[in-house]
């Protein structure tokens, strides 16, 4: 049964602009706008959103599907927690995103492979196998949550962690149990406050544990033992350069810890499902109910599987082959893809700087006179005097319109060298202010950014529908490919293109800039480059790449003057005889 508790915000035409679910706020409400009240459509839209979020995690996540959809080697997510209310509330979207983050990191970090390696090494007796699996799962959960905590993904992992822990602690048996101890430790050890676990366990009454009495007598010593690995899991292991190194590190860590912890919990049950320690327990009604719910959800997804697969959008457009056909150095071309994963950007337009830039841009436009005739006031138009005795409409108004007459595109370097928050804040202020000035005289101008994600140069349009968007600066700099891909896919027949490129350094990946300059020159694209916060070596490298068509901004006050010099230089070049 579907319950619709949404508040619909309507536009003037009566169309739904946005769905709001009161009381279900969450982080995803800031970026997830594409929703539907129809179950099958909403499942598609949510899956697309989760797939986009997964691209920030790593290369080996693979395809993400709902449980019940047939796809080999895919990461299957159980949608049971989010089904029943559509559109899915933001709080539940956070939960599903967090589950994806945790499972994706486990795949990227080879968790299942590590489990089997550790099992072969410690060879737990049959009666301890259930406890071993529980121990390993929680240790890996602490590790992957620590990885997520290094970025905004930690907020989503926290939502999933709280949900998993609360659900577990609501179905406890009389302590002590390994499950309870591990989950209480997980909450402390994986917290976004990296120092919280040092406070130790002290009579934690969580998830319905009130009136259960003090747990210190059971859990203090084993939790102290577990705490011994927290710094290594959160700091030392992630610092290792390769996945295999990190696996070997955790293998040694878990082996030692398992042997120490086993001495404390040898005679504890794992939880109510530990049949070696709880052999006489009958069928648990709650577990049976959960299994029935999961079976029902899986049946629903199976029924929708073909519909969902058909509705899923195709993967990001790949421009690599197009670029290889337009460069001489095609062997070194980096993979280039389109991208639509964006976040709303904060307004960083500098109004004082904007006014000066508008004057600069205006000087680069063509002015034309536009007349509005047949008016009842204004300047007398001699050819309309015959109307004086009838309508009196013998006046006209003369206006000046300014038009850049070119297809204007702004391309922003959002690679790893821009990742410093101060530098990226300055870059956002510059490109937002400059683009806003350009829009005044070129209303069809477009704004793009490029970065590296999963070994591909991603080209993202970051101004859509009148809103400024942004991406996370990341990865290597493939300026040549980014320039060519942007120029190729923004061309307007019969119009020359002005491509303004903002960067903080030279290309360090891919085919290089020489082929991009050659492509632009041969296809009517005027390329101008602004260097933002460049070091001395970066300035020299950019001069070597771009020649006279590059200017360097050390202080934002220099932007109008330097951009004006670039525009004037470009205008002279374009008017020079070929």
């Amino acid at each position: 049964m579907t319950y619709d508790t949404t508040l619909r915000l309507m536009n003037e035409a009566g169309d739904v602009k946005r769905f709001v679910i009161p009381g279900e706020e969450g982080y995803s409400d800031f970026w997830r706008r594409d929703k539907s009240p129809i179950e099958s459509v909403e499942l598609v839209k949510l899956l697309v959103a989760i797939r986009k979020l997964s691209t920030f995690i790593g290369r080996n996540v693979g395809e993400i599907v709902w449980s019940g959809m047939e796809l080999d080697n895919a990461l299957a997510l159980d949608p049971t927690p989010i089904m029943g209310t559509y559109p899915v509330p933001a709080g539940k979207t956070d939960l599903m995103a967090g589950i994806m983050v945790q499972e994706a990191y486990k795949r990227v970090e080879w968790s299942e492979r590590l489990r089997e390696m550790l099992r072969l090494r410690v060879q737990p007796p049959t009666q301890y196998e259930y406890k071993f699996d529980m121990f390993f799962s929680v240790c890996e959960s602490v590790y992957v949550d620590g990885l997520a905590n290094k970025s905004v993904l930690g907020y989503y992992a926290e939502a999933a962690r709280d949900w998993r822990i609360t659900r577990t602690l609501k179905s406890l048996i009389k302590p002590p149990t390994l499950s309870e101890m591990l989950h209480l430790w997980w909450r402390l050890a994986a917290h976004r406050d990296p120092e919280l676990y040092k406070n130790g366990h002290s009579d934690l009454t969580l998830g319905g544990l009130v009136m259960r009495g003090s747990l210190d007598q059971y859990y203090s010593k084993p939790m102290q033992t577990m705490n011994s690995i927290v710094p290594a899991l959160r700091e030392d292991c992630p610092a290792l350069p390769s996945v295999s190194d990190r696996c070997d590190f955790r293998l040694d860590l878990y082996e030692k810890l398992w042997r120490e912890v086993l001495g404390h919990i040898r005679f504890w049950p794992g939880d109510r499902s530990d049949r070696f320690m709880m052999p006489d327990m009958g069928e648990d009604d709650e577990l049976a109910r959960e299994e029935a719910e999961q079976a029902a959800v899986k049946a629903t997804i199976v029924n929708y599987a073909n519909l969902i697969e058909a509705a899923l959008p195709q993967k990001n457009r790949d421009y690599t082959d197009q670029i290889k056909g337009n460069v001489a150095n095609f062997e070194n071309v980096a993979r280039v893809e389109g991208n639509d994963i964006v976040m709303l950007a904060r307004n960083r337009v500098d109004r004082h700087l904007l006014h000066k830039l508008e004057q600069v841009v205006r000087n680069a436009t063509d002015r034309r006179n536009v007349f509005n005739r047949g008016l009842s006031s204004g300047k007398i138009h001699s050819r309309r005097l015959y109307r004086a005795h009838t309508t009196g409409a013998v006046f006209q108004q003369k206006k000046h319109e300014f038009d850049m007459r070119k297809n204007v595109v702004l391309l922003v370097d959002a690679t790893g060298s821009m990742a410093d928050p101060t530098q990226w804040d300055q870059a956002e202020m510059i490109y937002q202010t400059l683009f806003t000035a350009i829009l005044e005289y070129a209303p069809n101008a477009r704004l793009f950014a490029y970065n590296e994600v999963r070994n591909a140069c991603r080209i993202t349009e970051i101004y859509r529908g009148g809103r400024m968007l942004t991406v996370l600066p990341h990865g290597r700099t493939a300026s040549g490919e980014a320039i060519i891909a942007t120029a190729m896919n923004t061309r307007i027949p019969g119009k020359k293109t002005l491509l303004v490129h903002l960067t903080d350094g030279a290309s360090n990946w891919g085919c290089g800039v020489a082929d991009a300059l050659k492509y632009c020159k041969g296809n009517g694209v005027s390329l101008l480059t602004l260097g933002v916060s460049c070091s001395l070596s970066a300035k020299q490298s950019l001069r070597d790449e771009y020649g006279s068509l590059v200017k360097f901004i050390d202080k934002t006050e220099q932007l109008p003057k330097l951009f004006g010099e670039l525009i004037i230089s470009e205008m002279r070049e374009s008017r020079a005889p070929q």
Side-chain angles (χ1 to χ4, degrees):
M1 182 176 181
T2 300
Y3 301 94
D4 188 354
T5 59
T6 60
L7 172 67
R8 293 169 173 79
L9 300 184
M10 320 290 275
N11 62 15
E12 294 179 357
D15 299 324
V16 177
K17 291 171 56 183
R18 183 182 169 199
F19 295 101
V20 179
I21 298 85
E24 291 287 356
E25 296 79 10
Y27 302 114
S28 57
D29 194 44
F30 291 97
W31 55 266
R32 186 174 179 246
R33 303 296 190 191
D34 191 11
K35 307 176 185 179
S36 173
I38 302 170
E39 183 176 46
S40 59
V41 178
E42 175 68 345
L43 288 172
V44 171
K45 293 180 179 295
L46 179 56
L47 185 57
V48 169
I50 289 173
R51 285 181 174 182
K52 290 178 180 178
L53 192 63
S54 73
T55 61
F56 292 101
I57 293 176
R59 303 175 186 176
N60 301 323
V61 174
E63 203 70 78
I64 297 176
V65 298
W66 295 127
S67 298
M69 296 172 61
E70 297 297 331
L71 188 63
D72 292 339
N73 300 317
L75 175 56
L77 300 177
D78 177 12
T80 304
I82 53 95
M83 295 189 74
T85 302
Y86 307 103
V88 175
K92 289 188 176 180
T93 300
D94 288 357
L95 167 60
M96 191 52 61
I99 293 173
M100 179 279 296
V101 167
Q102 292 175 326
E103 298 305 315
Y105 269 122
K106 288 177 183 177
R107 177 168 286 206
V108 169
E109 296 293 321
W110 299 355
S111 286
E112 284 308 307
R113 177 180 175 182
L114 179 60
R115 183 194 298 270
E116 296 310 312
M117 292 167 64
L118 183 60
R119 189 190 302 276
L120 289 173
R121 184 178 288 192
V122 303
Q123 296 185 354
T126 305
Q127 67 269 29
Y128 297 139
E129 284 187 352
Y130 187 80
K131 292 188 182 71
F132 168 82
D133 283 330
M134 189 180 296
F135 163 84
F136 177 85
S137 296
V138 174
C139 286
E140 277 294 273
S141 294
V142 170
Y143 173 62
V144 299
D145 283 0
L147 296 177
N149 285 338
K150 296 182 182 299
S151 70
V152 70
L153 298 177
Y155 290 94
Y156 299 99
E158 181 181 47
R161 180 170 65 252
D162 288 344
W163 176 77
R164 290 184 198 264
I165 293 173
T166 301
R167 187 179 64 163
T168 298
L169 297 181
K170 280 182 177 178
S171 58
L172 292 171
I173 57 177
K174 185 177 179 180
T177 64
L178 179 60
S179 175
E180 185 173 11
M181 187 275 289
L182 288 175
H183 282 79
L184 293 175
W185 175 69
W186 182 12
R187 174 163 282 172
L188 293 173
H191 198 276
R192 286 185 294 111
D193 178 358
E195 304 296 319
L196 185 64
Y197 78 97
K198 294 180 180 179
N199 296 336
H201 166 71
S202 179
D203 194 19
L204 297 174
T205 53
L206 306 174
L209 298 180
V210 179
M211 304 303 292
R212 290 171 57 84
S214 174
L215 302 179
D216 289 351
Q217 57 181 313
Y218 306 120
Y219 298 148
S220 291
K221 289 184 178 179
M223 287 184 71
Q224 286 175 9
T225 304
M226 299 292 295
N227 282 342
S228 65
I229 71 166
V230 174
L233 274 185
R234 295 191 61 148
E235 302 298 333
D236 300 341
C237 189
L240 295 174
S242 70
V243 179
S244 60
D245 288 342
R246 295 193 292 273
C247 275
D248 291 340
F249 183 91
R250 301 202 307 282
L251 185 63
D252 295 335
L253 202 64
Y254 295 163
E255 180 188 10
K256 182 176 183 239
L257 182 65
W258 166 252
R259 301 190 191 284
E260 293 177 2
V261 169
L262 188 58
H264 295 291
I265 56 92
R266 188 182 303 272
F267 301 109
W268 294 2
D271 58 19
R272 67 180 63 218
S273 297
D274 188 349
R275 296 313 179 197
F276 280 93
M277 299 300 293
M278 308 290 292
D280 298 325
M281 288 192 66
E283 183 70 21
D284 186 274
D285 292 340
E286 187 173 345
L287 290 176
R289 185 166 57 253
E290 286 185 6
E291 290 177 359
E293 289 177 355
Q294 290 176 358
V297 168
K298 185 173 182 179
T300 301
I301 298 297
V302 168
N303 291 334
Y304 285 149
N306 292 335
L307 182 62
I308 291 174
E309 288 289 354
L312 285 171
Q314 298 299 313
K315 290 187 177 181
N316 294 328
R317 183 177 175 185
D318 194 317
Y319 302 116
T320 311
D321 289 339
Q322 279 184 287
I323 294 173
K324 285 183 177 180
N326 286 277
V327 300
N329 187 18
F330 62 88
E331 300 94 343
N332 294 324
V333 169
R335 185 159 58 93
V336 187
E337 298 176 349
N339 175 57
D340 59 358
I341 302 172
V342 293
M343 300 174 290
L344 285 175
R346 287 176 288 181
N347 181 9
R348 297 192 180 280
V349 175
D350 185 314
R351 292 295 166 186
H352 178 69
L353 189 62
L354 175 63
H355 177 71
K356 293 183 177 180
L357 282 170
E358 284 177 340
Q359 297 298 318
V360 171
V361 176
R362 179 171 173 170
N363 291 337
T365 60
D366 294 328
R367 190 179 79 169
R368 58 178 179 171
N369 297 326
V370 178
F371 293 91
N372 191 3
R373 299 184 173 89
L375 304 176
S376 58
S377 63
K379 185 177 180 180
I380 290 179
H381 184 206
S382 59
R383 294 185 182 180
R384 297 292 188 273
L385 288 175
Y386 67 89
R387 294 181 177 176
H389 300 291
T390 55
T391 64
V394 296
F395 299 96
Q396 69 176 359
Q397 286 184 350
K398 180 180 178 182
K399 294 182 179 180
H400 301 303
E401 288 191 356
F402 299 89
D403 188 354
M404 290 198 75
R405 300 287 182 94
K406 285 189 176 183
N407 172 37
V408 185
V409 181
L410 194 59
L411 178 64
V412 181
D413 176 354
T415 55
S417 56
M418 285 281 199
D420 178 81
T422 302
Q423 188 164 344
W424 183 239
D425 286 349
Q426 183 188 31
E428 282 191 310
M429 186 277 290
I430 289 173
Y431 78 69
Q432 286 188 20
T433 306
L434 178 57
F435 186 72
T436 302
I438 291 172
L439 275 178
E440 184 71 22
Y441 302 102
N444 295 319
R446 298 176 72 180
L447 174 62
F448 293 85
Y450 66 96
N451 59 0
E452 181 204 351
V453 179
R454 298 171 70 177
N455 205 35
C457 176
R458 293 281 180 89
I459 312 294
T460 309
E461 189 160 9
I462 55 174
Y463 180 81
R464 304 180 201 165
R467 294 187 301 176
M468 287 286 183
L469 308 169
T470 189
V471 295
L472 292 175
H474 185 269
R476 294 168 289 178
T477 307
S479 299
E481 285 85 346
I483 290 169
I484 296 173
T486 304
M488 289 173 66
N489 292 281
T490 56
R491 285 184 296 183
I492 297 177
K495 234 180 183 184
K496 290 186 176 181
T497 297
L498 173 61
L499 180 57
V500 182
H501 177 216
L502 269 69
T503 184
D504 70 332
S507 175
N508 57 22
W509 182 39
C511 66
V513 171
D515 282 317
L517 295 176
K518 184 177 179 181
Y519 175 86
C520 290
K521 187 173 182 180
N523 290 273
V525 178
S526 299
L527 176 64
L528 308 180
T529 301
L530 289 170
V532 180
S533 301
C534 299
S535 64
L536 291 176
S537 59
K539 287 181 179 180
Q540 187 56 51
S541 298
L542 286 170
R543 289 191 190 98
D544 294 340
E545 286 183 330
Y546 298 96
S548 61
L549 294 181
V550 61
K551 297 291 181 182
F552 300 103
I553 304 169
D554 297 315
K555 298 180 180 179
T556 53
E557 308 88 70
Q558 299 172 307
L559 180 59
K561 178 176 180 295
L562 296 177
F563 184 65
E565 291 175 358
L566 271 180
I567 288 286
I568 292 172
S569 176
E570 185 275 331
M571 292 171 65
R572 289 173 180 167
E573 289 280 340
S574 62
R575 292 170 181 170
Q578 302 296 318

